[in-house]
Amino acid sequence: MRFYRGMLAVVLAVPCAVGAQKKVLTQDTYDFWRQLQAPTLSNDGAWAAYTLSPVVGDGDVVFRSTAGATEYRTPRGWTGRPLNTVGTAQGFTASPARISADSRFGVYLIYPTQAELEEARQKKVAVPQQPKASLGITNLASGQVTTVDRVRSFILPRDAGRYVVYQLESDAPPRDSTVRRDTTQAARVAVRRTFGTPLVIRELATGNETRIEDVSAFVIDDSARTLAYIVATRADGGDGAYVRDMSTGRTTALLEGEGEYAQLAMDQSGRQVAFVANTSEFRDMKPRYTLYHASVSGGVAAPIVKPAVLNGMHPSANGEVSFTRDASAITFGVAPTPEDSIPADSLADKAVFDLWHYQDRKLQPQQRIEGARDRNRSFLSVFTLRTKRALVLANDTMPNVTVSDDGATALTVTNVPYAVEAMWGEGGNDVFVTDVSSGRMTPVARRLESPAQLSPGAKYVVYFNDKQWHAFNVASGETKNLTGQLRGVRFDQETHDSPSTAPAWGIGGWTRADRSVLIYDRYDVWEMDPAGVRAPKVVTDSTGVRAQVTYRVVDLDRDDRFIDPAQPLLLRAFNNVTKASGYYEDKLDGTAAPRQIVFGDRNYGTPTKARNADRYLMTQQTVSEFPDLWTGNSLASLTKITNANPQQSEYLWPTVELVDWISSDGEKLQGMLYKPGNFDPSKQWPMVVYFYEMLSDGLHNYSSPTGRNVVNPSVYTSLGYVVFFPDIVYENGWPGPSAMKAIVPGVQSILARGYVNPKAVGIAGQSWGGYQSAYLITQTSMFAAAVPNAPVANMTSAYGGIRWESGMARSFQYEKTQSRIGGSLWEYPVRYIENSPLFHLDRVTTPVLFMHNDADGAVPWYQGIELFVGLRRLGKEAYMINYNGDAHNPRKRANQLDIDMRMQQFFANKLKGEPAPDWMKNGIPFLEKGKDQLRNVIP
């Protein structure tokens, strides 16, 4: 534990001495570069909490005074992925540190260290015996830290600061099989259950604790009046659902009896509880669940939905139970009784096969991947407490349902009628409104390509269709076109450059009582009357379109479903030309243009606001400034309170410049040009070109040094390269030539400056960028080296392939989305061939290194094989790396570092003239596989 009081807690970076030599970013620097995670403010704004963690290694949880210099740090252990592992014991996913509602205590989980986890992995320690997290409690007045060992999770009530409730780990396996005799059937029934572990209620100020054994689930209301919990015990007859009055300690049994209890829920006020249980059928081979409801004051839970009363469906333990926002209804899941599974040995001498049927909604690979989810699926239903009536809202053909805050209205969306066409990108959704009291469904719109939204007050459904916004009045059934009367204003994305229908720019929110909806065009914010009576008005006074600045509404209070028109409207602003950003304030009355709060050549993050104070927290970043935390009582006056990476001052760091040029088609394009920190324009520099569609909006983004299968500008400039990220605009049907027309003139514009060696220009890309890199080297010889990672080489074969991670056919992305061919292989065979690098490999003069992994779930690795085999057949210099069992982007840390190293070595040889490494000169024969790793190839 480390804490500082009465002094400057942030260690400021000490500048290097004048003339001191700055260091180069190498692989040994990557892992200790720190990241700020999950920042939050206390309710009164006096404290900020966050986790400060390196990429690999142990981090700290930090509590920092926002007005003074007091800071407390506690080692938090390791929340990253273990080094050199894939699919084995993983590092913890850090839960955010929390601050009690009264701002007196910080509460968090402390995870085991990297060394402890690595030792457990090497010793192959079973999961129950592996190192576990502890609970940390920091007294924010004194900095004193209290720890509790083996804690699984905790809850801090949102509005009450007296308690923390936490659950301990169990020393016993969390799941086991208990065999019981069913005396009524004289048969042995094996019941597999999850048992509970101790739950502890702790008073933060005194440390007094109350322990409840064998708790499997628990919830506490925001004001900490009521704790509800489920007991699942190995002891006979001890199962049940209970509530505890937190002020008196009185415990009431809602339901007791042997069985499985699940999906515990409480309304926001802490007055009602609901859950499902199978006590009446627990000993049956296929026990069904009942939905129970209880008022906290009443005590006893009543069965409100019993098995098989809803068209043969019954409440499901897999469907979430919750109260509607106004607590007048309960939503829950229902499912049919599960079918018997086929014994594993029953098909030993039978044919085992998949039947691919042309009318299947989903292909067999997708059905297989989604099989577990489909077996456990449930359908959303609602029980109205006033009428005591239950209604099943969803089913196989109407799968997606949103319920209003009062439970009276439901928005039902189905894509099932268009499931087959969705394979090639021509799907859609039918939208209906359901009156929950009567069950009557009213159609709203057919075959929408964009989502529909139920307004917060459930008076309207708004949707985008035919480039216009529409509002459906739930009460009257009338539909109004909200934007059709506006001329010269586009609400579809005019920058959309794929063959699919352009989506809308979006919705900014609703004013109280659904009186108006805020809708975006490319630049400005409009207020629309969903009833279609009042004329639309542009809230931002058209200043956005005039200055090419995009305004977007910032929601500082996620708990409030509406925008208060009497309050100032906070807008994030982004200049599409200069890439500057910031915040403005406006009013919905439209009486004035937006007023600037803060704006500049940096990337301002999304602010958070303390719940009970005018105190803000947000990040700011530039290419050379890490996104540290800034705080203040106004966004116009912020103070930096962190310095996550003071070591940056010791290293060479890039500058970045926004560059402009004209494509071969006459389009104005932009890109980012990164220069080394020691750049000298009188020298000749090698350059690496990297791209992925449009990147220039990230001009002011910071790039932490990392080692992966991409070109990191901070690393490559430090190694002595100029790095160019050009934007690309696309012509449908010709993605390869589009890249050629954009990138080559962009590179030529940089070469014309005179400081880049024209014989030392490399190109690299990953996935879609990898495809375009592979295509470009078939069309031009300007590149001295190319790294087209995970590319598509042959669109004719890729079109009929599968994205194995999702099981989806790849055809949709060629006909409608990123690959941009615009039609099927039979409609445009020439486009598929002309855009495929494979058919032009005889023109390649550029040496090629690329990675394509055999577990790639996005681009099948046979595409990489086709590229390599073609280059090899033509006698071209080519190297292909396949990280066995790894994904589209390597997940194994050793593989990430390895491809980073080999890309650097390849470019160093081809662009700088450095000696080729042994793997480039001699390869790595199969029988020598792995020996280079043992020789410490990775520095």
Side-chain angles (χ1 to χ4, degrees):
M1 183 268 293
R2 304 186 294 277
F3 66 91
Y4 310 85
R5 167 176 291 208
M7 61 178 289
L8 182 62
V10 177
V11 180
L12 298 179
V14 178
C16 292
V18 176
Q21 184 69 36
K22 297 242 181 174
K23 295 186 288 188
V24 172
L25 292 166
T26 54
Q27 286 197 342
D28 59 349
T29 66
Y30 299 164
D31 289 349
F32 64 73
W33 223 266
R34 294 171 182 83
Q35 300 295 321
L36 284 166
Q37 300 168 336
T40 188
L41 279 172
S42 60
N43 284 349
D44 64 1
W47 293 91
Y50 59 92
T51 296
L52 188 63
S53 295
V55 175
V56 175
D58 303 324
D60 295 328
V61 64
V62 183
F63 297 97
R64 173 68 157 82
S65 169
T66 58
T70 304
E71 179 180 284
Y72 307 122
R73 292 192 181 199
T74 303
R76 196 176 195 191
W78 191 28
T79 58
R81 297 176 65 88
L83 195 63
N84 298 336
T85 61
V86 171
T88 59
Q90 299 295 311
F92 292 85
T93 300
S95 65
R98 300 296 188 193
I99 300 173
S100 60
D102 57 9
S103 304
R104 296 176 60 195
F105 295 91
V107 185
Y108 46 93
L109 291 179
I110 302 172
Y111 302 97
T113 65
Q114 178 183 352
E116 291 171 329
L117 290 170
E118 193 66 19
E119 180 182 11
R121 183 187 69 83
Q122 291 175 357
K123 292 182 178 180
K124 299 181 180 179
V125 177
V127 172
Q129 283 73 50
Q130 287 181 3
K132 304 299 182 185
S134 301
L135 183 71
I137 303 172
T138 297
N139 185 316
L140 298 179
S142 66
Q144 180 181 358
V145 175
T146 302
T147 60
V148 181
D149 292 338
R150 296 181 63 80
V151 173
R152 177 184 297 176
S153 62
F154 71 90
I155 290 178
L156 272 178
R158 195 183 75 159
D159 299 327
R162 182 178 177 183
Y163 302 104
V164 61
V165 183
Y166 63 87
Q167 191 162 23
L168 294 168
E169 295 280 0
S170 173
D171 292 327
R175 295 178 66 89
D176 65 8
S177 294
T178 303
V179 179
R180 298 171 178 163
R181 178 172 294 279
D182 185 333
T183 55
T184 61
Q185 298 183 26
R188 295 181 64 82
V189 179
V191 182
R192 186 168 180 84
R193 303 184 57 205
T194 299
F195 295 107
T197 63
L199 183 73
V200 180
I201 304 167
R202 181 185 179 94
E203 293 189 45
L204 287 165
T206 66
N208 294 334
E209 293 189 339
T210 302
R211 181 174 169 129
I212 306 172
E213 300 295 336
D214 300 324
V215 173
S216 61
F218 66 101
V219 291
I220 189 168
D221 71 293
D222 290 342
S223 299
R225 290 191 295 263
T226 306
L227 172 72
Y229 60 94
I230 289 171
V231 170
T233 179
R234 291 173 173 81
D236 290 338
D239 300 335
Y242 305 85
V243 291
R244 178 186 179 91
D245 186 307
M246 295 291 284
S247 62
T248 66
R250 179 175 176 268
T251 298
T252 303
L254 303 179
L255 181 69
E256 292 182 300
E258 184 182 55
E260 291 179 292
Y261 299 69
Q263 299 297 338
L264 181 66
M266 185 187 295
D267 68 0
Q268 287 186 336
S269 66
R271 293 186 172 89
Q272 300 178 87
V273 176
F275 56 90
V276 297
N278 63 6
T279 54
S280 61
E281 299 186 6
F282 177 61
R283 289 174 175 261
D284 295 353
M285 291 298 294
K286 295 181 180 179
R288 298 173 299 174
Y289 286 82
T290 295
L291 177 66
Y292 289 87
H293 170 260
S295 66
V296 170
S297 60
V300 178
I304 55 175
V305 181
K306 295 182 178 180
V309 300
L310 299 173
N311 299 323
M313 309 284 269
H314 58 85
S316 170
N318 298 316
E320 180 184 4
V321 174
S322 65
F323 287 88
T324 55
R325 195 176 181 89
D326 72 348
S328 64
I330 301 169
T331 59
F332 62 102
V334 298
T337 302
E339 297 180 4
D340 292 331
S341 59
I342 300 174
D345 59 354
S346 65
L347 297 177
D349 59 347
K350 303 292 191 300
V352 179
F353 63 95
D354 300 321
L355 174 63
W356 296 47
H357 193 286
Y358 76 105
Q359 291 182 327
D360 284 344
R361 295 177 187 171
K362 298 175 182 178
L363 297 183
Q364 285 287 330
Q366 187 174 357
Q367 292 182 46
R368 176 180 58 81
I369 289 169
E370 297 176 3
R373 184 198 70 185
D374 291 343
R375 272 190 292 270
N376 295 317
R377 68 182 170 180
S378 61
F379 300 109
L380 187 70
S381 305
V382 64
F383 181 87
T384 304
L385 293 166
R386 181 180 58 82
T387 62
K388 301 187 184 308
R389 182 172 182 270
L391 180 68
V392 178
L393 297 173
N395 53 47
D396 278 326
T397 58
M398 297 286 177
N400 302 309
V401 177
T402 301
V403 180
S404 63
D405 290 351
D406 61 2
T409 305
L411 181 70
T412 303
V413 180
T414 178
N415 62 354
V416 171
Y418 318 108
V420 174
E421 295 98 315
M423 187 185 85
W424 53 88
E426 293 185 0
N429 293 284
D430 292 342
V431 180
F432 303 83
V433 165
T434 301
D435 182 320
V436 172
S437 63
S438 66
R440 180 170 56 88
M441 293 182 66
T442 302
V444 175
R446 300 284 184 180
R447 199 158 190 163
L448 292 182
E449 296 185 75
S450 296
Q453 181 186 105
L454 182 67
S455 63
K459 294 180 179 179
Y460 300 95
V461 176
V462 292
Y463 61 91
F464 191 71
N465 192 33
D466 293 330
K467 301 183 180 182
Q468 304 294 333
W469 280 101
H470 305 265
F472 173 86
N473 188 308
V474 173
S476 68
E478 291 183 296
T479 299
K480 299 288 187 179
N481 185 327
L482 303 183
T483 53
Q485 61 184 291
L486 297 172
R487 297 291 179 260
V489 183
R490 292 187 61 175
F491 294 93
D492 64 317
Q493 295 183 16
E494 62 262 42
T495 58
H496 187 70
D497 60 0
S498 73
S500 58
T501 301
W505 287 108
I507 291 177
W510 290 78
T511 60
R512 296 201 179 281
D514 291 350
R515 185 174 187 273
S516 60
V517 58
L518 302 186
I519 290 176
Y520 300 137
D521 66 20
R522 182 179 181 183
Y523 299 109
D524 288 297
V525 180
W526 292 76
E527 185 179 14
M528 308 277 183
D529 176 12
V533 176
R534 301 185 311 275
K537 65 180 179 181
V538 57
V539 175
T540 47
D541 199 33
S542 298
T543 57
V545 67
R546 289 196 296 268
Q548 295 188 56
V549 169
T550 296
Y551 294 109
R552 294 297 181 256
V553 176
V554 178
D555 185 3
L556 291 175
D557 186 358
R558 300 277 177 162
D559 294 330
D560 193 341
R561 300 266 278 152
F562 296 101
I563 295 169
D564 186 348
Q567 296 298 316
L569 189 67
L570 183 62
L571 302 170
R572 189 177 193 276
F574 178 80
N575 189 302
N576 291 267
V577 178
T578 68
K579 316 304 179 184
S581 70
Y583 290 93
Y584 281 67
E585 187 178 88
D586 205 351
K587 295 292 289 290
L588 286 180
D589 58 17
T591 56
R595 180 184 66 83
Q596 179 179 307
I597 301 173
V598 61
F599 197 78
D601 290 327
R602 55 187 50 237
N603 181 354
Y604 289 94
T606 302
T608 58
K609 180 183 176 296
R611 289 186 64 209
N612 303 324
D614 287 330
R615 171 66 68 166
Y616 300 87
L617 184 72
M618 74 173 180
T619 62
Q620 301 180 32
Q621 62 181 303
T622 69
V623 68
S624 59
E625 295 179 45
F626 178 85
D628 278 298
L629 294 177
W630 296 68
T631 186
N633 293 328
S634 166
L635 295 181
S637 179
L638 298 173
T639 301
K640 182 179 173 182
I641 61 170
T642 65
N643 189 16
N645 291 291
Q647 77 282 358
Q648 179 183 315
S649 63
E650 303 171 17
Y651 293 90
L652 287 167
W653 209 259
T655 61
V656 67
E657 174 188 350
L658 187 66
V659 297
D660 300 272
W661 71 97
I662 303 297
S663 76
S664 299
D665 281 342
E667 294 275 356
K668 293 181 179 180
L669 296 177
Q670 293 182 306
M672 297 180 290
L673 186 67
Y674 296 89
K675 299 175 186 175
N678 57 351
F679 179 73
D680 181 348
S682 67
K683 295 182 178 179
Q684 289 274 284
W685 296 82
M687 183 170 74
V688 177
V689 183
Y690 184 85
F691 47 86
Y692 195 99
E693 300 210 5
M694 305 282 282
L695 298 176
S696 66
D697 283 356
L699 178 71
H700 299 302
N701 288 351
Y702 180 92
S703 295
S704 294
T706 58
R708 285 189 55 232
N709 46 307
V710 297
V711 172
N712 181 287
S714 299
V715 172
Y716 273 77
T717 54
S718 180
L719 295 173
Y721 297 93
V722 171
V723 176
F724 181 40
F725 282 15
D727 286 347
I728 306 168
V729 293
Y730 293 94
E731 177 189 357
N732 287 339
W734 304 103
S738 295
M740 180 77 177
K741 293 173 183 178
I743 293 170
V744 170
V747 173
Q748 290 170 336
S749 74
I750 305 302
L751 294 178
R753 299 182 177 205
Y755 49 72
V756 170
N757 183 351
K759 295 183 179 180
V761 179
I763 191 171
Q766 164 68 22
S767 189
W768 178 241
Y771 151 69
Q772 287 165 109
S773 299
Y775 178 85
L776 283 172
I777 61 174
T778 70
Q779 306 297 312
T780 178
S781 59
M782 74 175 348
F783 301 109
V787 182
N789 286 325
V792 163
N794 180 0
M795 288 190 172
T796 67
S797 59
Y799 173 83
I802 297 291
R803 296 178 66 94
W804 292 108
E805 193 167 50
S806 64
M808 297 174 65
R810 293 178 53 84
S811 49
F812 73 92
Q813 65 193 69
Y814 292 92
E815 297 196 34
K816 292 294 182 180
T817 62
Q818 187 177 56
S819 296
R820 295 176 168 89
I821 294 300
S824 72
L825 179 61
W826 303 275
E827 293 175 280
Y828 299 115
V830 173
R831 291 184 184 181
Y832 281 86
I833 292 172
E834 287 300 315
N835 282 283
S836 297
L838 181 73
F839 299 104
H840 315 294
L841 292 182
D842 55 324
R843 306 173 188 170
V844 172
T845 60
T846 304
V848 179
L849 161 72
F850 68 96
M851 172 206 75
H852 213 141
N853 303 327
D854 53 23
D856 190 324
V859 180
W861 86 298
Y862 59 71
Q863 287 294 313
I865 294 173
E866 289 192 51
L867 178 62
F868 179 79
V869 169
L871 290 168
R872 173 184 165 95
R873 170 64 181 83
L874 293 164
K876 311 295 183 180
E877 183 180 356
Y879 312 87
M880 174 179 166
I881 298 174
N882 165 30
Y883 293 106
N884 305 150
D886 217 335
H888 186 61
N889 291 288
R891 296 170 182 167
K892 186 175 179 180
R893 186 60 178 158
N895 293 345
Q896 294 173 354
L897 293 173
D898 189 78
I899 187 60
D900 173 68
M901 174 202 68
R902 296 187 195 279
M903 287 172 61
Q904 289 184 24
Q905 290 177 338
F906 179 69
F907 281 133
N909 172 247
K910 300 302 180 184
L911 306 185
K912 292 183 175 181
E914 294 182 10
D918 183 71
W919 62 269
M920 286 181 64
K921 292 187 289 187
N922 301 310
I924 303 176
F926 179 80
L927 295 179
E928 299 291 314
K929 183 177 178 178
K931 292 183 179 180
D932 63 321
Q933 301 289 302
L934 300 178
R935 290 194 292 266
N936 296 317
V937 169
I938 301 178

